[in-house]
Amino acid sequence: MTSCTPVKTTCPYCGVGCGVEATRLPDGAIRIAGDAAHPANLGRLCVKGSALGDTLDLDNRLLQPQVRVDGVLQRASWDVALDKVAGGLRAIIAEHGPDAVALYVSGQLLTEDYYVANKFMKGYVGSANIDTNSRLCMSSAVAGHKRAFGEDIVPGCYEDLELADMVVLVGSNTAWCHPILFQRIARIRETRPEMKLVVIDPRRTATCELADVHLPVKPGTDVWLFNGLLCHLAREGVIDDAFVTQHSAGLDAALAAAHVDCSDPVQVAKICKVDPQALLAFYRAFAATRKVVTAFSQGVNQSSSGTDKVNSIINCHLATGRIGQPGMGPFSLTGQPNAMGGREVGGLANMLAAHLELDNPLHRDTVQTFWDSPRMAHKPGLKAVELFHAIEAGKVKAVWIIATNPLVSMPDADQVRRALAKCELVVVSDISAGSDTNAHADVLLPALGWGEKDGTVTNSERRISRQRAFLPAPGAARADWQVLCEVATRMGYAGFDFTSPQAIFDEHARLSTFRNAAETARLFNLAGLDKLDAAQYDALAPQQWPQGRVRLFGDGRFAHADGRARFVPTPPRAPRNAPDAEYPLILNTGRVRDQWHTMTRTGKAAKLSGHVAEAFIDLHPQDALLYSVREGELARISSAWGAMVARVVHGGGIARGQVFVPIHWSDANASDARVGAVVNPVVDPVSGEPEFKHTPVRIEQFRVH
Ligand code: SF4
């Protein structure tokens, strides 16, 4: 590690995955700059990325293992802590079976950490009870891709957003949540002002400032809107018959389902509460424009019909053959830095490594043969919300939480608190000494953070980039993969003698190309990346996988066994919980521009707090009058699940009947401002993704009793 030599690494925040150059200066300060050679950002960084150097001090860092003794967390050696974890898990498995233990991990993990965690649980413990906080942000996109394409894979790339003649952003405040991508769109519109930008979002967000059209859709009605578009495309004769006939199946059924409620645009506009003329103008523009990218994010995914929303969008692209070609296609914007890498190693409870299926015996056999593992999980595990309910019910008796703060981020977060309070063994691996979840740990394990650890991440366009260390390990902190390997070895499991992230990546890449005699060829794998030696891995430049494939499906060949894509019928359905007299408002949640998740990192950079300094409740001035709350004063929001307190603001972008609260604040960094406690724990029946965008609530003045 030479001072003043820039180290190329990757931003640890959003799924754009910008390249960063970090330089350690002689005075110890870290200079952060965008990596001009990284294709995601070409040297640019947003405010959060630029402030990374301010987040690296050791204040509030967890630096030593701790073990709870007589109810009190006490400093311990690694040997004592690891023995406690391995012994505790072994004893619970012996008494109650493998499904009595669980891991709950994170899209913050590097691919190598994720791979080892999944190998440990699925191939050695023998349970698929390993889920991830990525369940909360993109699992509906995963499920939608699998239904439509036969595999969870993103067909396009960032460049498509620049080549398109029309970009439709659905449920995405791209300007704040994927800022560099938004800057790329903004810049291209300077040279191609004819390029249209449509934003479909209940709120008038910063993203709308650049939009030609904003459709402020009623929360939860996106499926009506896109089913209506499919009907319009059929009515106007814009269906690409050749593509549909040769490369897809199921259009008639999808159209039949759409026609039930959505054939009349005026009726759709009424249901979606948008202007009928504006809706029709959007339908006409979509029909008339070949190069369209429809990019979607949490506003689509975080819904009790999230998977159907995704498929209703994909249906429109399949119907017009607009997929896998420059400047066109559906495009999932992932929230976290490595949600995509996690998916590649089977990071969700219902997946196996290498995009294989847990409920496919052939796939299970392939992975078990490759791992030479003693026992394989034979059924999907518990998804995040189910997992914490199983803990509270006493079915899961040990949970190891790695790099995430579920006491803040989960819906019905008070339920998570109850679950952890009841759990026999709670292990928490984290960089932070003060997270809300840590308070429930029986064992606390200090992890390496950004700048200290090595590995890879994959961004929203399937681009694998290196995260590289440029700082020494602080205190006793260790890499998560290393800790997982040490626990696995102490439990008597072979196959965890990895000595470096490169060795793990190598195994992961080889698994993606391995198949047993009976398994048919997979369309996509890491061929070309499966023989990297240490020096090649160290020097690995950002690159998309499959190697050399900028876009996928352009040849009309999909991953279903018959090679055809599937239209999915998406009969629309309303969000599970409707507002009523007791809870008359709809709570929507999301990010603010300059904070990340539960602020364990961004909270350290003073300049990032200059944008939004505290939690807030954004509501319409007339609703404030109606419910007797005032701008600038504290108010209490409550639902059937919990309550929170924050200051009332009138941001100007919220429609009547709705409130918006950011997700970042918690009991650890504020007071009673944990919006997760208020959010309903309803999930999408296919993906298991929670409905963060639609909880019935009421608002009232906050009074200190
Ligand atoms: Fe980091 Fe995302 Fe900003 Fe890029 S856009 S610098 S990845 S937070």
PDB file of all heavy atoms in Angstrom, residues 116-136:
ATOM      1  N   VAL A 116     -19.416 -17.515   0.292  1.00  0.00           N
ATOM      2  CA  VAL A 116     -19.053 -18.389   1.417  1.00  0.00           C
ATOM      3  C   VAL A 116     -20.254 -18.572   2.348  1.00  0.00           C
ATOM      4  O   VAL A 116     -20.529 -19.682   2.818  1.00  0.00           O
ATOM      5  CB  VAL A 116     -17.837 -17.808   2.181  1.00  0.00           C
ATOM      6  CG1 VAL A 116     -17.555 -18.625   3.432  1.00  0.00           C
ATOM      7  CG2 VAL A 116     -16.612 -17.787   1.278  1.00  0.00           C
ATOM      8  N   ALA A 117     -21.004 -17.500   2.598  1.00  0.00           N
ATOM      9  CA  ALA A 117     -22.169 -17.595   3.487  1.00  0.00           C
ATOM     10  C   ALA A 117     -23.194 -18.584   2.922  1.00  0.00           C
ATOM     11  O   ALA A 117     -23.769 -19.400   3.660  1.00  0.00           O
ATOM     12  CB  ALA A 117     -22.799 -16.215   3.670  1.00  0.00           C
ATOM     13  N   ASN A 118     -23.407 -18.534   1.613  1.00  0.00           N
ATOM     14  CA  ASN A 118     -24.381 -19.438   1.004  1.00  0.00           C
ATOM     15  C   ASN A 118     -23.882 -20.870   0.946  1.00  0.00           C
ATOM     16  O   ASN A 118     -24.648 -21.816   1.150  1.00  0.00           O
ATOM     17  CB  ASN A 118     -24.760 -18.933  -0.392  1.00  0.00           C
ATOM     18  CG  ASN A 118     -25.890 -17.936  -0.296  1.00  0.00           C
ATOM     19  OD1 ASN A 118     -27.052 -18.316  -0.269  1.00  0.00           O
ATOM     20  ND2 ASN A 118     -25.552 -16.659  -0.169  1.00  0.00           N
ATOM     21  N   LYS A 119     -22.601 -21.045   0.690  1.00  0.00           N
ATOM     22  CA  LYS A 119     -22.035 -22.401   0.694  1.00  0.00           C
ATOM     23  C   LYS A 119     -22.161 -23.004   2.093  1.00  0.00           C
ATOM     24  O   LYS A 119     -22.557 -24.167   2.255  1.00  0.00           O
ATOM     25  CB  LYS A 119     -20.557 -22.329   0.257  1.00  0.00           C
ATOM     26  CG  LYS A 119     -19.876 -23.673   0.192  1.00  0.00           C
ATOM     27  CD  LYS A 119     -18.432 -23.537  -0.303  1.00  0.00           C
ATOM     28  CE  LYS A 119     -17.755 -24.911  -0.383  1.00  0.00           C
ATOM     29  NZ  LYS A 119     -16.349 -24.825  -0.803  1.00  0.00           N
ATOM     30  N   PHE A 120     -21.856 -22.197   3.098  1.00  0.00           N
ATOM     31  CA  PHE A 120     -21.928 -22.641   4.492  1.00  0.00           C
ATOM     32  C   PHE A 120     -23.333 -23.127   4.838  1.00  0.00           C
ATOM     33  O   PHE A 120     -23.520 -24.249   5.333  1.00  0.00           O
ATOM     34  CB  PHE A 120     -21.510 -21.462   5.387  1.00  0.00           C
ATOM     35  CG  PHE A 120     -21.755 -21.651   6.859  1.00  0.00           C
ATOM     36  CD1 PHE A 120     -20.989 -22.541   7.594  1.00  0.00           C
ATOM     37  CD2 PHE A 120     -22.736 -20.912   7.516  1.00  0.00           C
ATOM     38  CE1 PHE A 120     -21.199 -22.702   8.960  1.00  0.00           C
ATOM     39  CE2 PHE A 120     -22.954 -21.061   8.868  1.00  0.00           C
ATOM     40  CZ  PHE A 120     -22.187 -21.968   9.600  1.00  0.00           C
ATOM     41  N   MET A 121     -24.332 -22.301   4.524  1.00  0.00           N
ATOM     42  CA  MET A 121     -25.707 -22.656   4.925  1.00  0.00           C
ATOM     43  C   MET A 121     -26.288 -23.752   4.039  1.00  0.00           C
ATOM     44  O   MET A 121     -26.815 -24.744   4.526  1.00  0.00           O
ATOM     45  CB  MET A 121     -26.625 -21.423   4.858  1.00  0.00           C
ATOM     46  CG  MET A 121     -26.575 -20.523   6.064  1.00  0.00           C
ATOM     47  SD  MET A 121     -26.970 -21.321   7.637  1.00  0.00           S
ATOM     48  CE  MET A 121     -28.711 -21.654   7.474  1.00  0.00           C
ATOM     49  N   LYS A 122     -26.221 -23.539   2.726  1.00  0.00           N
ATOM     50  CA  LYS A 122     -26.973 -24.433   1.830  1.00  0.00           C
ATOM     51  C   LYS A 122     -26.262 -25.769   1.614  1.00  0.00           C
ATOM     52  O   LYS A 122     -26.925 -26.785   1.415  1.00  0.00           O
ATOM     53  CB  LYS A 122     -27.246 -23.719   0.497  1.00  0.00           C
ATOM     54  CG  LYS A 122     -28.290 -22.613   0.666  1.00  0.00           C
ATOM     55  CD  LYS A 122     -28.446 -21.717  -0.540  1.00  0.00           C
ATOM     56  CE  LYS A 122     -29.473 -20.609  -0.257  1.00  0.00           C
ATOM     57  NZ  LYS A 122     -29.361 -19.474  -1.158  1.00  0.00           N
ATOM     58  N   GLY A 123     -24.941 -25.774   1.656  1.00  0.00           N
ATOM     59  CA  GLY A 123     -24.221 -27.008   1.351  1.00  0.00           C
ATOM     60  C   GLY A 123     -23.696 -27.739   2.561  1.00  0.00           C
ATOM     61  O   GLY A 123     -23.306 -28.900   2.456  1.00  0.00           O
ATOM     62  N   TYR A 124     -23.654 -27.096   3.728  1.00  0.00           N
ATOM     63  CA  TYR A 124     -23.023 -27.742   4.888  1.00  0.00           C
ATOM     64  C   TYR A 124     -23.961 -27.807   6.087  1.00  0.00           C
ATOM     65  O   TYR A 124     -24.215 -28.878   6.623  1.00  0.00           O
ATOM     66  CB  TYR A 124     -21.700 -27.047   5.213  1.00  0.00           C
ATOM     67  CG  TYR A 124     -20.657 -27.418   4.187  1.00  0.00           C
ATOM     68  CD1 TYR A 124     -20.649 -26.803   2.927  1.00  0.00           C
ATOM     69  CD2 TYR A 124     -19.742 -28.428   4.423  1.00  0.00           C
ATOM     70  CE1 TYR A 124     -19.736 -27.187   1.948  1.00  0.00           C
ATOM     71  CE2 TYR A 124     -18.823 -28.816   3.452  1.00  0.00           C
ATOM     72  CZ  TYR A 124     -18.822 -28.192   2.216  1.00  0.00           C
ATOM     73  OH  TYR A 124     -17.931 -28.576   1.248  1.00  0.00           O
ATOM     74  N   VAL A 125     -24.527 -26.666   6.485  1.00  0.00           N
ATOM     75  CA  VAL A 125     -25.569 -26.729   7.519  1.00  0.00           C
ATOM     76  C   VAL A 125     -26.743 -27.555   6.970  1.00  0.00           C
ATOM     77  O   VAL A 125     -27.353 -28.339   7.682  1.00  0.00           O
ATOM     78  CB  VAL A 125     -26.037 -25.310   7.921  1.00  0.00           C
ATOM     79  CG1 VAL A 125     -27.267 -25.351   8.824  1.00  0.00           C
ATOM     80  CG2 VAL A 125     -24.903 -24.563   8.626  1.00  0.00           C
ATOM     81  N   GLY A 126     -27.039 -27.366   5.667  1.00  0.00           N
ATOM     82  CA  GLY A 126     -28.129 -28.138   5.044  1.00  0.00           C
ATOM     83  C   GLY A 126     -29.467 -27.451   5.144  1.00  0.00           C
ATOM     84  O   GLY A 126     -30.515 -28.097   5.075  1.00  0.00           O
ATOM     85  N   SER A 127     -29.458 -26.132   5.278  1.00  0.00           N
ATOM     86  CA  SER A 127     -30.706 -25.365   5.313  1.00  0.00           C
ATOM     87  C   SER A 127     -30.569 -24.166   4.379  1.00  0.00           C
ATOM     88  O   SER A 127     -29.481 -23.592   4.252  1.00  0.00           O
ATOM     89  CB  SER A 127     -30.979 -24.860   6.730  1.00  0.00           C
ATOM     90  OG  SER A 127     -32.026 -23.901   6.707  1.00  0.00           O
ATOM     91  N   ALA A 128     -31.666 -23.787   3.745  1.00  0.00           N
ATOM     92  CA  ALA A 128     -31.640 -22.579   2.903  1.00  0.00           C
ATOM     93  C   ALA A 128     -32.130 -21.359   3.689  1.00  0.00           C
ATOM     94  O   ALA A 128     -32.514 -20.350   3.087  1.00  0.00           O
ATOM     95  CB  ALA A 128     -32.478 -22.796   1.663  1.00  0.00           C
ATOM     96  N   ASN A 129     -32.099 -21.453   5.001  1.00  0.00           N
ATOM     97  CA  ASN A 129     -32.488 -20.297   5.813  1.00  0.00           C
ATOM     98  C   ASN A 129     -31.386 -19.247   5.816  1.00  0.00           C
ATOM     99  O   ASN A 129     -30.800 -18.915   6.842  1.00  0.00           O
ATOM    100  CB  ASN A 129     -32.804 -20.722   7.244  1.00  0.00           C
ATOM    101  CG  ASN A 129     -34.181 -21.327   7.358  1.00  0.00           C
ATOM    102  OD1 ASN A 129     -34.992 -21.225   6.433  1.00  0.00           O
ATOM    103  ND2 ASN A 129     -34.461 -21.980   8.475  1.00  0.00           N
ATOM    104  N   ILE A 130     -31.101 -18.749   4.629  1.00  0.00           N
ATOM    105  CA  ILE A 130     -30.192 -17.602   4.504  1.00  0.00           C
ATOM    106  C   ILE A 130     -30.863 -16.616   3.562  1.00  0.00           C
ATOM    107  O   ILE A 130     -31.075 -16.902   2.392  1.00  0.00           O
ATOM    108  CB  ILE A 130     -28.782 -17.999   4.011  1.00  0.00           C
ATOM    109  CG1 ILE A 130     -27.988 -16.731   3.635  1.00  0.00           C
ATOM    110  CG2 ILE A 130     -28.807 -19.023   2.875  1.00  0.00           C
ATOM    111  CD1 ILE A 130     -26.504 -16.975   3.451  1.00  0.00           C
ATOM    112  N   ASP A 131     -31.263 -15.493   4.112  1.00  0.00           N
ATOM    113  CA  ASP A 131     -31.867 -14.471   3.267  1.00  0.00           C
ATOM    114  C   ASP A 131     -31.082 -13.177   3.443  1.00  0.00           C
ATOM    115  O   ASP A 131     -30.153 -13.099   4.253  1.00  0.00           O
ATOM    116  CB  ASP A 131     -33.351 -14.297   3.581  1.00  0.00           C
ATOM    117  CG  ASP A 131     -34.137 -13.915   2.326  1.00  0.00           C
ATOM    118  OD1 ASP A 131     -33.807 -14.419   1.242  1.00  0.00           O
ATOM    119  OD2 ASP A 131     -35.086 -13.110   2.423  1.00  0.00           O
ATOM    120  N   THR A 132     -31.466 -12.179   2.699  1.00  0.00           N
ATOM    121  CA  THR A 132     -30.644 -10.976   2.622  1.00  0.00           C
ATOM    122  C   THR A 132     -31.530  -9.744   2.609  1.00  0.00           C
ATOM    123  O   THR A 132     -32.694  -9.814   2.192  1.00  0.00           O
ATOM    124  CB  THR A 132     -29.768 -11.008   1.345  1.00  0.00           C
ATOM    125  OG1 THR A 132     -29.365  -9.689   0.999  1.00  0.00           O
ATOM    126  CG2 THR A 132     -30.532 -11.579   0.153  1.00  0.00           C
ATOM    127  N   ASN A 133     -30.960  -8.622   3.041  1.00  0.00           N
ATOM    128  CA  ASN A 133     -31.763  -7.399   2.992  1.00  0.00           C
ATOM    129  C   ASN A 133     -32.054  -6.970   1.555  1.00  0.00           C
ATOM    130  O   ASN A 133     -32.895  -6.106   1.329  1.00  0.00           O
ATOM    131  CB  ASN A 133     -31.120  -6.258   3.796  1.00  0.00           C
ATOM    132  CG  ASN A 133     -29.765  -5.836   3.266  1.00  0.00           C
ATOM    133  OD1 ASN A 133     -29.337  -6.259   2.196  1.00  0.00           O
ATOM    134  ND2 ASN A 133     -29.079  -4.998   4.026  1.00  0.00           N
ATOM    135  N   SER A 134     -31.399  -7.610   0.583  1.00  0.00           N
ATOM    136  CA  SER A 134     -31.770  -7.357  -0.809  1.00  0.00           C
ATOM    137  C   SER A 134     -33.193  -7.850  -1.088  1.00  0.00           C
ATOM    138  O   SER A 134     -33.809  -7.423  -2.063  1.00  0.00           O
ATOM    139  CB  SER A 134     -30.799  -8.062  -1.765  1.00  0.00           C
ATOM    140  OG  SER A 134     -29.522  -7.488  -1.646  1.00  0.00           O
ATOM    141  N   ARG A 135     -33.677  -8.749  -0.257  1.00  0.00           N
ATOM    142  CA  ARG A 135     -35.097  -9.151  -0.351  1.00  0.00           C
ATOM    143  C   ARG A 135     -35.999  -7.931  -0.279  1.00  0.00           C
ATOM    144  O   ARG A 135     -37.085  -7.908  -0.857  1.00  0.00           O
ATOM    145  CB  ARG A 135     -35.414 -10.104   0.818  1.00  0.00           C
ATOM    146  CG  ARG A 135     -36.862 -10.530   0.939  1.00  0.00           C
ATOM    147  CD  ARG A 135     -37.284 -11.568  -0.048  1.00  0.00           C
ATOM    148  NE  ARG A 135     -36.515 -12.788   0.039  1.00  0.00           N
ATOM    149  CZ  ARG A 135     -36.499 -13.731  -0.912  1.00  0.00           C
ATOM    150  NH1 ARG A 135     -37.208 -13.575  -2.009  1.00  0.00           N
ATOM    151  NH2 ARG A 135     -35.757 -14.808  -0.775  1.00  0.00           N
ATOM    152  N   LEU A 136     -35.530  -6.910   0.468  1.00  0.00           N
ATOM    153  CA  LEU A 136     -36.369  -5.736   0.711  1.00  0.00           C
ATOM    154  C   LEU A 136     -36.360  -4.766  -0.460  1.00  0.00           C
ATOM    155  O   LEU A 136     -37.168  -3.848  -0.497  1.00  0.00           O
ATOM    156  CB  LEU A 136     -35.889  -4.983   1.970  1.00  0.00           C
ATOM    157  CG  LEU A 136     -35.605  -5.811   3.222  1.00  0.00           C
ATOM    158  CD1 LEU A 136     -35.220  -4.896   4.377  1.00  0.00           C
ATOM    159  CD2 LEU A 136     -36.795  -6.669   3.605  1.00  0.00           C
TER     160      LEU A 136
END
